[in-house]
């Protein structure tokens, strides 16, 4: 799926012109045209603006069904080779604990942990 084609289809389905999207998003009409014609790939923040302007949840930009897709349960999935980190034994227990703890964190706290991990990786 090309995101520009999907954005155009959703815009036309709502009977909105590029001008309406321009007013609702603050993006230039020429930029909207470039996205719809596949010359530019928008950033996630821009896709959020498109979703708000089109009055749809963001998942609908990527998914064509009536209901939101069901989340995958990664704990029940088995890796193909069975020896990737976090798939067996103590590693799987530690990964499950990380997931549980990250789920309880506030967004700002998760951002700090990710920022710190990125800094550590660069060293």
């Amino acid at each position: 799926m090309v995101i520009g084609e999907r954005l155009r289809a959703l815009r036309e389905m709502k009977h909105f012109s590029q001008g309406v999207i321009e007013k609702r998003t603050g993006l230039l009409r020429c930029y909207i045209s470039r996205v719809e014609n596949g010359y530019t790939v928008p950033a996630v923040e821009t896709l959020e603006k498109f979703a708000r302007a089109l009055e749809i949840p963001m998942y609908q930009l990527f998914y064509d069904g009536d209901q939101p897709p069901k989340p995958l349960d990664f704990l029940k999935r088995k890796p193909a080779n069975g020896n990737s980190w976090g798939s067996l034994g103590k590693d799987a227990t530690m990964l499950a604990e990380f997931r549980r703890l990250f789920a309880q964190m506030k967004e700002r706290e998760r951002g700090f942990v990710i920022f710190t991990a990125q800094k550590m990786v660069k060293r």
Side-chain angles (χ1 to χ4, degrees):
M1 165 189 55
V2 178
I3 192 66
E5 293 173 3
R6 179 74 176 148
L7 288 169
R8 173 178 282 151
L10 289 167
R11 178 179 60 77
E12 290 174 348
M13 198 168 63
K14 294 273 190 168
H15 304 289
F16 291 162
S17 67
Q18 286 182 348
V20 169
I21 301 300
E22 178 183 35
K23 288 177 185 171
R24 289 178 171 217
T25 62
L27 301 170
L28 296 175
R29 190 179 311 198
C30 61
Y31 177 78
I32 296 166
S33 175
R34 290 183 56 78
V35 169
E36 289 184 357
N37 289 307
Y39 293 106
T40 302
V41 178
V44 174
E45 293 82 11
T46 307
L47 291 173
E48 289 174 338
K49 290 180 182 181
F50 273 106
R52 277 194 304 273
L54 293 167
E55 301 168 346
I56 60 172
M58 193 158 158
Y59 79 85
Q60 284 187 354
L61 297 179
F62 307 99
Y63 181 73
D64 206 11
D66 294 332
Q67 297 294 322
K70 294 183 176 155
L72 298 174
D73 188 356
F74 290 105
L75 291 178
K76 292 182 181 177
R77 292 182 70 200
K78 294 186 180 175
N81 59 9
N83 60 359
S84 59
W85 186 87
S87 62
L88 300 171
K90 291 181 182 179
D91 292 340
T93 304
M94 182 186 298
L95 182 60
E97 183 68 10
F98 279 143
R99 291 181 68 217
R100 185 184 67 75
L101 292 171
F102 275 108
Q104 293 175 355
M105 287 181 165
K106 295 179 179 146
E107 184 65 31
R108 184 174 176 173
E109 294 167 341
R110 273 194 302 269
F112 176 73
V113 171
I114 291 170
F115 173 78
T116 304
Q118 289 172 337
K119 289 291 184 185
M120 292 171 67
V121 168
K122 289 182 181 179
R123 290 187 175 180

